[in-house]
């Protein structure tokens, strides 16, 4: 548990194992949030003509960026705020309340896992400046019984949040089916199951120019739905060899098309 970055107090310098090689460090370059990542209003899909236009916007965003943001998506603002709040409360708990969830064994079928950096912590050359809480979500009724009981509202809030985000994912996947000319429900069943809900926690860092919270990567699944913390800017998208900052928009979700979707398209 002493490995958790969130458990450290008054860290003055970045430990050596967290310092990336010079060519991989973010350095002191400031990446300004860009407004170029498409923002798509899902409220319009209720009207046939607007629905078609929205689908075309989603397809174009996927082709141009592989990313877009959605607003008016149906997930209540209060629920989004409550979920972010309860995640922060979890990481602020005393260590004794989190110990039972700590695990570095990727082969274990835990319904809830807490780890630092990555599940390759023991063998990786450099650690990421983050802690991660992984909540299994399928089947939700079974998995939720193994989630944290503290904070006391954790299971209720996160369970409701996972349910609503799954509905949003199903809506987006159905729109993609229509746009790609696929049979309705093509992405249903196991393809659209949400296997887990991941919470990345990035504690304050004494020198962010030396380390990273998450390395560059592409998600392997169909789509990833991400809620950014509006207080912390950091998500970036690579386009034409240039990193573009994704502007945090209040009450919006970022949608990332993964490898499976790229192969489908």
């Amino acid at each position: 548990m002493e490995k958790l970055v969130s458990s450290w107090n008054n860290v003055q310098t970045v430990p050596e194992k967290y310092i990336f090689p010079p060519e991989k460090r973010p350095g002191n370059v400031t990446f300004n949030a860009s407004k170029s990542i498409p923002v798509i209003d899902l409220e319009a899909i209720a009207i046939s003509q607007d629905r078609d236009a929205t689908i075309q916007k989603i397809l174009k965003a996927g082709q141009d960026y592989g990313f877009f943001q959605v607003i008016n998506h149906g997930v209540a603002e209060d629920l989004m705020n409550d979920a972010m709040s309860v995640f922060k409360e979890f990481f602020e708990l005393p260590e004794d309340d989190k110990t039972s969830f700590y695990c570095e064994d990727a082969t274990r079928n835990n319904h809830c896992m807490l780890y630092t950096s990555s599940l390759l912590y023991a063998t990786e050359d450099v650690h990421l400046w983050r802690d991660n809480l992984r909540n299994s979500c399928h089947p939700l009724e079974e998995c939720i019984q193994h989630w944290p009981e503290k904070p006391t509202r954790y299971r209720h809030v996160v369970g409701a949040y996972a349910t609503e985000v799954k509905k949003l994912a199903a809506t987006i996947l159905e729109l993609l089916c229509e746009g790609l000319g696929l049979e309705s429900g093509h992405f249903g069943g196991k393809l659209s199951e949400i296997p887990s809900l991941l919470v990345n926690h990035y504690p304050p860092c004494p020198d962010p120019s030396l380390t990273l919270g998450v390395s560059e990567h592409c998600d392997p699944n169909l789509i990833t739905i991400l809620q950014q913390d509006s207080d912390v800017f950091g998500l970036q998208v690579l386009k034409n060899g240039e990193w573009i900052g994704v502007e945090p928009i209040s009450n919006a979700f970022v949608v990332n098309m993964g490898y499976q979707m790229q192969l489908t398209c």
Side-chain angles (χ1 to χ4, degrees):
M1 286 293 293
E2 69 278 358
K3 295 175 182 176
L4 289 175
V5 183
S6 55
S7 297
W8 301 349
N9 295 314
N10 301 317
V11 180
Q12 301 299 315
T13 59
V14 178
E16 185 177 352
K17 284 292 291 183
Y18 287 82
I19 298 177
F20 276 70
E23 67 276 9
K24 293 187 177 181
R25 295 177 195 169
N28 293 311
V29 178
T30 300
F31 289 89
N32 295 319
S34 170
K35 297 182 182 296
S36 62
I37 302 296
V39 178
I40 298 174
D41 188 344
L42 292 186
E43 193 172 41
I45 63 174
I47 302 171
S48 178
Q49 183 175 352
D50 292 342
R51 183 182 182 91
D52 292 341
T54 301
I55 290 172
Q56 292 309 309
K57 289 178 182 178
I58 289 174
L59 292 178
K60 182 167 176 53
Q63 293 168 350
D64 291 349
Y65 292 92
F67 275 80
F68 54 93
Q69 299 201 63
V70 291
I71 58 174
N72 294 319
H73 40 63
V75 182
E77 177 181 350
D78 287 347
L79 181 57
M80 295 175 70
N81 292 336
D82 283 349
M84 294 297 278
S85 221
V86 82
F87 292 142
K88 291 177 182 178
E89 289 171 24
F90 173 84
F91 283 102
E92 292 170 355
L93 289 172
E95 286 192 12
D96 289 348
D97 292 326
K98 298 181 285 191
T99 301
S100 62
F101 299 104
Y102 191 83
C103 179
E104 295 178 11
D105 185 356
T107 64
R108 288 179 60 183
N109 187 26
N110 287 15
H111 291 295
C112 188
M113 297 175 64
L114 174 64
Y115 54 91
T116 194
S117 183
S118 78
L119 289 171
L120 300 175
Y121 183 92
T123 57
E124 62 192 11
D125 295 329
V126 186
H127 303 316
L128 297 167
W129 192 271
R130 70 158 181 185
D131 294 332
N132 187 288
L133 180 64
R134 181 188 298 260
N135 301 266
S136 294
C137 292
H138 188 78
L140 183 61
E141 297 77 10
E142 175 186 332
C143 295
I144 202 171
Q145 302 305 317
H146 302 274
W147 289 0
E149 294 184 85
K150 294 182 180 180
T152 54
R153 62 195 184 114
Y154 188 96
R155 292 182 179 180
H156 172 72
V157 170
V158 179
Y161 181 76
T163 298
E164 292 304 307
V165 171
K166 182 178 180 179
K167 291 178 184 176
L168 172 59
T171 296
I172 293 172
L173 288 172
E174 188 60 25
L175 292 172
L176 284 165
C177 280
E178 291 182 37
L180 295 171
L182 300 173
E183 182 181 353
S184 177
H186 178 82
F187 294 125
K190 290 187 177 297
L191 280 176
S192 61
E193 288 174 3
I194 299 179
S196 57
L197 187 155
L198 307 181
V199 185
N200 286 316
H201 179 64
Y202 308 105
C205 178
D207 190 350
S209 69
L210 299 177
T211 189
L212 290 169
V214 176
S215 300
E216 59 183 88
H217 66 281
C218 182
D219 292 342
N221 44 326
L222 277 171
I223 60 173
T224 297
I225 296 180
L226 168 69
Q227 181 179 350
Q228 289 198 88
D229 189 330
S230 58
D231 298 328
V232 180
F233 162 64
L235 179 64
Q236 297 167 20
V237 175
L238 184 64
K239 178 175 172 59
N240 298 328
E242 178 184 358
W243 286 102
I244 301 171
V246 180
E247 178 189 17
I249 298 176
S250 179
N251 307 320
F253 283 103
V254 179
V255 181
N256 169 20
M257 294 189 179
Y259 275 137
Q260 288 185 20
M261 183 60 71
Q262 291 179 31
L263 291 173
T264 301
C265 297

